[in-house]
C-alpha cells in the first residue's frame, strides 16, 4: 500500500489504482495476466497497455483476429477487442512487479467475479504461471492435475479450456524463452478454440 501511495504522489497524472478489465462483457475468452506494470497499466489504466508485454500482446491479438483497429499507445480508442477480455490475477501494481502470495490470494475474489460476469465464457488464456495458478485456484482445481507449460491446453472440471503461455515479458523474449512465433501459436490456438 505504501508503494502505491508513494507512486501516486510521484506521478499524480497516472491511473495509479486497481486496473479494470478491458474488453466486451460478451467475451468467450478471458486472458489473464500477472499484474499491472508500473509504467504500463498502472500509468494508462488498461491491462498491458503502454509496456513491453503489451507491445507483443496487442499486435498478436490483432493478427489472430481477437482485436481490431490499431495498436497505438497514444490512441487507446483506436483498438477494440473481439470476443475476448483481458484482466490480471493481481489488480494493483506490486513493488518490483512481484506480488506476494497474500496479494494474489486477496485479488482472487476479483478474478472469481470477472469470470462470473462473463456468461459466454468458454476458454481462458493464462499469461504466465502466476495467472495459471490463480485460475486453477479460482476453479478449486488441483495444480498437480493441470501442470503449467508453454503451449499446454487443459480441459478444466468446469468444461472450460485453459491455454498456457510463458509471460510475454521482456525477460522472456530477450532471453529467447518466448519468441513472437511461440506466443502467436498459443494465442492463435485459444482464438481457434472459440470457432470449434
Amino acid at each position: 500500500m505504501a508503494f502505491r501511495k508513494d507512486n501516486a504522489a510521484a506521478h499524480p497524472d497516472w491511473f495509479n489504482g486497481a486496473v479494470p478489465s478491458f474488453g466486451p462483457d460478451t467475451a468467450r475468452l478471458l486472458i489473464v495476466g500477472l499484474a499491472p506494470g508500473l509504467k504500463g497499466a498502472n500509468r494508462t489504466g488498461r491491462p498491458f497497455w503502454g509496456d513491453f508485454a503489451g507491445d507483443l500482446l496487442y499486435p498478436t491479438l490483432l493478427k489472430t483476429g481477437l482485436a481490431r483497429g490499431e495498436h497505438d499507445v497514444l490512441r487507446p480508442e483506436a483498438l477494440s477487442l473481439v470476443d475476448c477480455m483481458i484482466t490480471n490475477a493481481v489488480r494493483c501494481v506490486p513493488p518490483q512487479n512481484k506480488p506476494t502470495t497474500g496479494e494474489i490470494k486477496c485479488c482472487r475474489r476479483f478474478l472469481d467475479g470477472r469470470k462470473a460476469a462473463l456468461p459466454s465464457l468458454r476458454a481462458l488464456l493464462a499469461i504466465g504461471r502466476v495467472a495459471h495458478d490463480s485460475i486453477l485456484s479460482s476453479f478449486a482445481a488441483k495444480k498437480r492435475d493441470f501442470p503449467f507449460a508453454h503451449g499446454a491446453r487443459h480441459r478444466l472440471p468446469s468444461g472450460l479450456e485453459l491455454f498456457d503461455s510463458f509471460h510475454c515479458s521482456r525477460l522472456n523474449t530477450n532471453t529467447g524463452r518466448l519468441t513472437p512465433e511461440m506466443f502467436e501459436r498459443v494465442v492463435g490456438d485459444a482464438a481457434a478454440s472459440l470457432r470449434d
Side-chain angles (χ1 to χ4, degrees):
M1 186 65 122
F3 170 76
R4 290 192 290 272
K5 284 184 178 176
D6 290 347
N7 194 59
H11 304 283
D13 56 327
W14 288 11
F15 182 79
N16 290 315
V19 175
S21 303
F22 169 51
D25 291 335
T26 56
R28 293 183 295 160
L29 173 65
L30 182 61
I31 300 169
V32 183
L34 169 62
L38 177 62
K39 296 179 181 176
N42 182 63
R43 177 174 56 85
T44 65
R46 179 179 285 185
F48 290 91
W49 199 260
D51 61 22
F52 181 84
D55 289 344
L56 178 55
L57 174 62
Y58 285 106
T60 302
L61 295 178
L62 285 163
K63 197 168 184 181
T64 56
L66 291 170
R68 72 173 141 254
E70 181 184 358
H71 177 234
D72 180 345
V73 174
L74 298 178
R75 295 187 311 118
E77 70 283 355
L79 182 141
S80 61
L81 298 183
V82 177
D83 211 12
C84 71
M85 179 177 277
I86 306 172
T87 196
N88 279 308
V90 175
R91 290 173 43 96
C92 295
V93 62
Q96 286 82 51
N97 199 33
K98 293 180 182 174
T100 65
T101 302
E103 284 177 295
I104 296 167
K105 187 175 180 181
C106 180
C107 287
R108 192 158 302 122
R109 61 190 165 133
F110 299 112
L111 181 57
D112 292 342
R114 173 44 56 212
K115 285 180 355 207
L118 294 175
S120 301
L121 187 62
R122 288 181 52 187
L124 299 102
L125 169 59
I127 299 183
R129 182 182 297 274
V130 171
H132 169 89
D133 289 349
S134 290
I135 289 167
L136 292 182
S137 294
S138 180
F139 283 103
K142 293 181 176 153
K143 293 174 189 166
R144 71 171 179 267
D145 295 336
F146 305 95
F148 175 81
H150 180 79
R153 180 175 182 172
H154 310 278
R155 172 75 68 172
L156 298 175
S158 64
L160 299 178
E161 298 271 2
L162 171 60
F163 295 83
D164 289 339
S165 174
F166 291 143
H167 198 284
C168 48
S169 66
R170 189 186 307 269
L171 175 66
N172 284 337
T173 56
N174 282 355
T175 59
R177 186 172 192 234
L178 179 69
T179 65
E181 294 76 20
M182 289 168 63
F183 188 60
E184 184 180 323
R185 199 169 309 121
V186 174
V187 176
D189 287 347
S193 77
L194 304 180
R195 299 189 287 271
D196 291 346

